[in-house]
Amino acid sequence: MTLPPALPRIRTIPADRPFLATLAEGLVGMAGGDPLRLSRITVLLPTRRAARSLREAFLRLTGEAAGGAPLLLPRMRPIGDLDADELDFDDGSLAVPPAIAPLRRSLLLTRLVLAWSAREDPNVLLPGQAAALARALARLLDAAAAEGADFARLRDLAPADLAEHWQTVLRFLEILPREWPAVLAAEGAIDPADRRNRLMARQADAWRRSPPRHPIVAAGLTGGIPALEALLGVVAGMAEGLVILAGLDRFCADAVRAGAAADPAHPQYLLLRLLDRLGMPPEAVREWPERAAAPTGRDARLGLVAQALRPAALTEAWRTLPPAPPDALAGVGRYDCASPQDEAITAALLLRRKLETPGATAALVTPDRELARRVAAELKRWDIDIDDSAGVPLNRTAPGAFLRLVLDLAASELAPVPLLAALKHPLAAGGRPREAFREHARRLEGAIRGPRPGPGFAGLRAALDPADKAIVGRLEACLGALPRLLGDALAPIAELAEAHVAAAERLAATDEDSGVERLWAEPAGEVAARFCHELIDAARDFPPLAGRHYPALFEALAAGEAVRPAYGRHPRLAIWGLVEARLQQADLVVLGGLNEGTWPGIPASDPWMSRQMRAEFDIAPPERSIGIAAHDFASALGAPEVALTRAARREGAPTVPSRWLLRLDTVLRASGLAGAIAADPEIEAAAEARDRPRFHRPAARAEPRPPLAARPRQLSVTQIETWRRDPYAIYARHILTLKALERLDADPDRSDLGIAIHKALAEFVRRHPRDLPADPEAELLEIGREAFGAMLSRPGVWGFWWPRFERVARWFAALEAGRRAGLRDSFSECRGRLVLDAPAGQFTLTAIADRIDRLADGGVVVIDYKTGAVPSTAEVKSAIAVQLPLEGAIVRDGAFDGVLGVPAALEYWKLGNGDPAGNITPVGNGDTAGLIDEVLAVTRDLIARFDDPRTPYEPVPRAQWKPRFSDYAQLERLDETEAEP
């Protein structure tokens, strides 16, 4: 359609002017002071969000352009573009079938995918996988409807010589033209994008036949959808019509314009395509409303940005760029932060500082939702509550997470981690007062720490004391039929969803409030309630599936749900996603997350069609999303003040700056403005000092001095070694009686491996103290299976630890075959004690020796099995590794279950995964008696020193002998006692 030159009905609002505020001001001007004329104007806007923001812009005008008088607002209709909401025109909308509900469509497509997979795919898809594919199919349906593509052409997209993968994909896509239309017909509905196209086509036809007598203004629409472009053509051609574009570059060179029109990744691509289809040259588009004043100083800034975003083929022109005005980038700052957290602190400081200017507004614009959450959290330091207007995924909200935790709890057969995660959730109360329920949960946690209890309610009851079993009955009543349904071979989805919701409601109830009141409260609860209601309704006729597949299906269907705030919490600060920021502007705009892969994001990979196939199918290439993001970036740079932020590293890995930042740097160097965009030193200093204390005061070193009566009078020989290395650990364990909690659902670790090996070797020696069996290796392996017990059911134990024990058994059996000839007998797991005189009274040493061998000549060898590291020679010489020498002293001077004798040798037997699997390390360099006497003297001195009440139990007296591991390291707080560097 070519417009008459005398009646240009297409205008633009430049990026340096706030679009919606300028639009509101212009519409008030169009009304000419007539309070009724404004209400007769119809404004077509991209989304409902834009319509809400335009209402707010009119409210801000009240008292200014409106002279304080109330306004009758124009009719605002969201027409939809690339992020369109559903359209609902009054004229003829009832003649168009309704749009199918999104969740219902996902389930119907999931059913088609499952049927195809069962019929065609040797690897049958699971329902959760099918639901994810169904979402991708729904996106393809919307894209095809928006672009006017015809699925009947699918057969022409894959010639015989194309890769077999694409042949399979296109056979799969045949379900759309072959089966989907019949499904929609049975539903009496159509796809949302198809309905939007039909409504726009009907409206365009109605206005073409009978142009309205009141003004129609289409504002902020960019095209990209044929039906929308046709409607905009009708509006632009009407005498009372007006199309207002956002951020059109009217004065770019012809070569740049031609390149941009052919490059979907260029910010002007959609606008130029729309103007081309409407027959309007960009230079003929005038600004709206006309400005009496001279252009703002930001024109030079936007000119540099336009240069930076040139098509790649035309960047050669950067070599000949003229010098730019020195103040071209006034008001623009850049912050390359060390990490995402530093970036969040910087953005929060920028927003907070803007509040110091009366009436000023500021907004963070970012596609990075994690950055948005971090900034919102940082602003809470100043008691500033701010919502991310792009919304929060339902599964990150309290009710969404609780629904999933209840499902995990029931599906896992009450495994400890999901059980406690659900019971400790703030919404969990189980019909009891919340404080009482929390106390029950804490007691339950203490009872089930360690290895996992048996599955289900029976296993949980067996692991608990009678006093703690009441909570199990309450939990069983709350979950109701859900665990049974999840275990069924076939169960209806609607029945599963109803049981799921009922279980969550019962578990959320308190003694005062019902679960319905607590679970579905506030915006997040309302979204969760709507989703669950729609799921139950949409799944009524879905074929039954195995109950174990319901959790994955539920998660896949809920993945697209988001909770958006009904209104902003702060009147002057905002966090916007790219869609929410479109058409809006603040006095300060912080553009965050400017890294490649974030802004712009990586174009979504199409699982269905290659780039060439998309072009032949007439749907947009993935690069068009980059062009839209580039237009958002360029438009945001028109704000009065702009801050560009990025994180130089993420998760320890360096990041790549956004291509737009790199291009802008290049243009600035060519224009003589290298380094013109800099960080504000005040913000940098504040960000650096935000979490740094004003001064560092090292904490006093822990030196507890308990009274003598509280100090232990009996310790094992291994604890004597701990006493030497870390006295505070003895204080915490034996005086404060603190014990480390076992892990939840604990998997076997290296200590469990050591215990099992010790147990197996001890049992073998106990059964055969003198003579070996006929096949010692086979018997030792059989004993080992008993010692490992249920641990062998763990894949990691069977795959890694058991083969290690097999090598140890082979080495041990061969060693014993040659060793037993020189032995009278052997003893295992011998208990012994030695009483020593000390200043405060007698002190008892206890020990359990792994093995004691009595030699033929009457001498004794004390053996300690080691599955970990063997003490070094230095540790032995310094009397730090005292276990074996003290066991030798007990053999010599005390008693080991009646075993007495002169220690002839002390040996560590290292049992590991090397070659050979074992190694014997003698201790004492041949002077066993001398070593025993030396260590015994050191031990007596240690006991005597701590019998003095003035001696403190300090942590790690000598750093070189620091224990490899301590349960009490956090209490010792050694890092806080170090001097400031």
Side-chain angles (χ1 to χ4, degrees):
M1 176 183 295
T2 302
L3 296 178
L7 289 174
R9 307 302 300 168
I10 302 179
R11 304 290 183 88
T12 185
I13 296 177
D16 65 331
R17 302 176 71 182
F19 186 90
L20 293 177
T22 303
L23 176 63
E25 184 179 349
L27 292 174
V28 170
M30 281 180 62
D34 183 354
L36 297 179
R37 179 171 170 77
L38 183 62
S39 65
R40 290 194 288 267
I41 299 175
T42 299
V43 184
L44 307 181
L45 293 158
T47 63
R48 290 176 179 167
R49 301 185 192 100
R52 288 195 298 268
S53 298
L54 181 58
R55 285 193 211 99
E56 295 171 2
F58 275 113
L59 290 175
R60 286 191 292 270
L61 273 179
T62 302
E64 298 174 8
L71 291 175
L72 293 175
L73 298 184
R75 304 172 68 190
M76 289 174 271
R77 293 180 175 175
I79 195 172
D81 61 2
L82 298 174
D83 186 62
D85 293 335
E86 184 184 346
L87 188 65
D88 190 14
F89 285 118
D90 294 335
D91 298 332
S93 62
L94 295 178
V96 178
I100 188 170
L103 190 55
R104 176 66 174 172
R105 179 169 69 161
S106 293
L107 278 172
L108 291 172
L109 287 170
T110 299
R111 186 165 66 183
L112 292 180
V113 171
L114 287 173
W116 183 90
S117 177
R119 185 174 63 248
E120 304 283 346
D121 192 351
N123 301 313
V124 178
L125 293 171
L126 300 177
Q129 298 169 323
L133 284 178
R135 282 204 315 274
L137 282 179
R139 290 194 295 269
L140 179 62
L141 283 169
D142 290 338
E147 303 285 345
D150 185 2
F151 280 101
R153 298 180 51 204
L154 281 175
R155 298 178 183 85
D156 303 329
L157 298 183
D161 59 347
L162 206 60
E164 183 179 354
H165 162 70
W166 293 115
Q167 301 285 351
T168 303
V169 168
L170 291 180
R171 284 199 304 272
F172 171 73
L173 291 180
E174 281 292 327
I175 64 177
L176 296 181
R178 186 177 63 243
E179 302 179 43
W180 185 240
V183 172
L184 288 176
E187 294 289 314
I190 57 178
D191 286 310
D194 185 18
R195 184 171 193 267
R196 179 190 59 197
N197 287 347
R198 295 191 194 188
L199 288 172
M200 286 192 291
R202 291 179 67 89
Q203 189 68 77
D205 184 61
W207 281 345
R208 191 181 293 112
R209 286 184 285 103
S210 178
R213 292 188 294 273
H214 59 271
I216 304 293
V217 178
L221 297 160
T222 57
I225 300 173
L228 174 59
E229 292 171 348
L231 179 61
L232 293 178
V234 172
V235 173
M238 296 188 306
E240 293 289 335
L242 181 63
V243 174
I244 303 175
L245 305 178
L248 173 68
D249 186 356
R250 298 179 290 155
F251 305 113
C252 61
D254 291 342
V256 175
R257 185 178 303 155
D263 181 6
H266 193 275
Q268 296 288 312
Y269 171 76
L270 284 177
L271 294 175
L272 293 175
R273 178 177 125 162
L274 175 63
L275 290 175
D276 179 64
R277 295 195 177 186
L278 298 182
M280 186 76 167
E283 62 271 13
V285 178
R286 298 203 302 271
E287 189 173 332
W288 188 91
E290 296 285 355
R291 280 192 277 198
T296 67
R298 295 195 294 277
D299 283 359
R301 181 202 299 175
L302 294 175
L304 288 172
V305 174
Q307 283 289 348
L309 298 181
R310 269 176 171 259
L314 302 176
T315 54
E316 177 67 22
W318 290 347
R319 295 178 179 273
T320 58
L321 285 177
D327 61 346
L329 292 169
V332 181
R334 175 169 169 177
Y335 301 84
D336 290 84
C337 306
S339 68
Q341 183 59 29
D342 291 326
E343 183 183 10
I345 292 173
T346 299
L349 285 167
L350 287 163
L351 297 178
R352 174 64 183 84
R353 186 175 66 173
K354 201 62 183 173
L355 289 181
E356 301 299 321
T357 304
T361 58
L364 168 68
V365 179
T366 179
D368 186 348
R369 306 273 53 85
E370 185 61 36
L371 174 62
R373 284 188 284 271
R374 288 176 184 266
V375 172
E378 288 296 325
L379 286 171
K380 289 186 183 295
R381 296 185 184 219
W382 299 286
D383 294 326
I384 296 174
D385 280 333
I386 185 169
D387 282 319
D388 180 1
S389 63
V392 179
L394 179 60
N395 60 7
R396 286 182 175 266
T397 65
F402 186 67
L403 285 168
R404 182 62 216 215
L405 288 174
V406 170
L407 203 52
D408 290 342
L409 163 64
S412 67
E413 295 186 303
L414 309 186
V417 172
L419 171 65
L420 292 174
L423 298 187
K424 288 188 171 186
H425 191 278
L427 284 172
R432 298 291 307 278
R434 282 175 288 182
E435 295 77 9
F437 190 81
R438 293 289 176 277
E439 180 59 29
H440 279 304
R442 282 191 289 269
R443 290 171 56 187
L444 179 64
E445 178 182 1
I448 63 174
R449 281 188 171 272
R452 176 183 294 194
F457 293 104
L460 186 58
R461 284 192 177 93
L464 300 179
D465 293 330
D468 297 324
K469 293 183 179 181
I471 192 174
V472 181
R474 183 170 295 276
L475 181 61
E476 188 171 15
C478 288
L479 293 181
L482 182 59
R484 175 183 59 79
L485 289 171
L486 290 173
D488 284 351
L490 289 175
I493 295 180
E495 189 175 344
L496 278 162
E498 288 174 342
H500 180 196
V501 169
E505 289 178 346
R506 287 191 292 265
L507 192 57
T510 68
D511 59 329
E512 297 177 348
D513 301 315
S514 69
V516 173
E517 293 173 306
R518 300 187 68 229
L519 185 57
W520 313 124
E522 301 183 349
E526 293 173 6
V527 172
R530 186 188 69 245
F531 170 77
C532 291
H533 173 76
E534 291 177 356
L535 175 60
I536 293 171
D537 187 59
R540 293 292 182 191
D541 56 352
F542 198 92
L545 51 72
R548 68 181 185 279
H549 296 319
Y550 172 74
L553 178 64
F554 178 85
E555 187 172 10
L557 293 173
E561 296 294 322
V563 180
R564 293 184 172 86
Y567 53 86
R569 290 187 181 180
H570 200 281
R572 294 167 55 198
L573 299 184
I575 297 178
W576 294 327
L578 299 189
V579 174
E580 291 73 27
R582 212 164 286 160
L583 309 184
Q584 300 196 78
Q585 196 178 91
D587 296 317
L588 167 66
V589 174
V590 180
L591 305 182
L594 284 169
N595 281 327
E596 200 66 18
T598 301
W599 194 3
I602 300 172
S605 59
D606 188 347
W608 311 122
M609 298 182 186
S610 65
R611 191 176 303 275
Q612 176 184 352
M613 293 162 66
R614 287 175 69 97
E616 294 176 2
F617 194 52
D618 291 330
I619 57 177
E623 287 76 15
R624 196 163 85 177
S625 63
I626 296 180
I628 296 170
H631 187 269
D632 294 332
F633 174 76
S635 299
L637 276 164
E641 293 182 55
V642 179
L644 311 173
T645 71
R646 60 175 293 266
R649 301 182 76 86
R650 181 181 289 271
E651 296 179 354
T655 59
V656 178
S658 169
R659 66 189 69 181
W660 302 320
L661 290 182
L662 297 175
R663 282 168 159 256
L664 191 57
D665 287 342
T666 305
V667 167
L668 293 182
R669 284 195 298 270
S671 303
L673 293 178
I677 305 180
D680 186 333
E682 182 183 39
I683 293 294
E684 282 191 317
E688 182 181 353
R690 190 70 189 92
D691 291 315
R692 187 177 62 197
R694 294 182 181 179
F695 53 85
H696 177 68
R697 180 185 297 165
R701 188 175 179 85
E703 294 182 344
R705 292 177 172 85
L708 188 59
R711 301 188 177 208
R713 306 308 301 167
Q714 175 177 306
L715 290 175
S716 69
V717 294
T718 56
Q719 290 166 341
I720 295 293
E721 181 170 332
T722 302
W723 203 2
R724 292 275 288 150
R725 294 178 182 271
D726 186 6
Y728 188 93
I730 298 299
Y731 167 76
R733 176 67 184 89
H734 294 276
I735 299 175
L736 299 183
T737 64
L738 298 177
K739 292 182 63 177
L741 292 174
E742 292 187 78
R743 291 173 297 156
L744 283 171
D745 203 357
D747 283 325
D749 56 16
R750 293 187 63 88
S751 64
D752 296 301
L753 170 65
I755 291 171
I757 292 179
H758 278 66
K759 184 178 179 181
L761 297 183
E763 178 62 20
F764 180 86
V765 172
R766 187 190 66 79
R767 292 185 186 181
H768 306 287
R770 295 180 180 84
D771 299 324
L772 292 176
D775 190 345
E777 181 180 348
E779 182 161 345
L780 182 54
L781 289 174
E782 183 61 33
I783 294 172
R785 292 187 183 92
E786 298 175 5
F788 276 82
M791 287 195 294
L792 288 178
S793 64
R794 304 290 183 106
V797 176
W798 179 255
F800 295 99
W801 291 4
W802 180 253
R804 180 178 302 183
F805 177 73
E806 289 179 321
R807 289 189 287 273
V808 169
R810 190 175 307 116
W811 173 85
F812 187 85
L815 176 69
E816 289 293 285
R819 182 181 175 86
R820 286 300 178 99
L823 301 181
R824 288 173 56 188
D825 47 17
S826 296
F827 306 89
S828 63
E829 298 292 335
C830 300
R831 296 180 177 273
R833 63 199 312 267
L834 175 63
V835 179
L836 302 176
D837 292 326
Q842 291 184 333
F843 193 99
T844 303
L845 300 180
T846 63
I848 300 177
D850 289 341
R851 176 171 173 174
I852 299 176
D853 286 351
R854 190 150 48 192
L855 304 176
D857 60 4
V860 173
V861 179
V862 183
I863 298 168
D864 186 48
Y865 301 137
K866 288 290 186 184
T867 54
V870 173
S872 66
T873 302
E875 289 174 322
V876 174
K877 287 183 177 180
S878 301
I880 295 297
V882 299
Q883 177 186 348
L884 263 182
L886 288 180
E887 289 180 356
I890 296 176
V891 169
R892 186 187 67 184
D893 303 329
F896 260 118
D897 290 338
V899 180
L900 292 171
V902 177
L906 307 175
E907 296 178 349
Y908 288 115
W909 287 18
K910 176 68 170 71
L911 309 173
N913 197 31
D915 187 16
N919 184 47
I920 298 177
T921 302
V923 177
N925 293 326
D927 186 9
T928 303
L931 176 62
I932 291 173
D933 290 339
E934 180 182 351
V935 169
L936 195 57
V938 169
T939 303
R940 290 178 184 275
D941 179 66
L942 178 69
I943 296 169
R945 282 193 294 111
F946 279 88
D947 275 356
D948 183 350
R950 295 171 296 179
T951 303
Y953 285 83
E954 58 182 332
V956 191
R958 287 178 288 182
Q960 69 267 34
W961 305 130
K962 182 178 180 178
R964 297 182 181 89
F965 171 79
S966 173
D967 288 328
Y968 309 104
Q970 186 176 8
L971 295 177
E972 293 171 353
R973 302 168 70 173
L974 290 176
D975 293 340
E976 299 179 30
T977 64
E978 295 175 358
E980 184 176 8

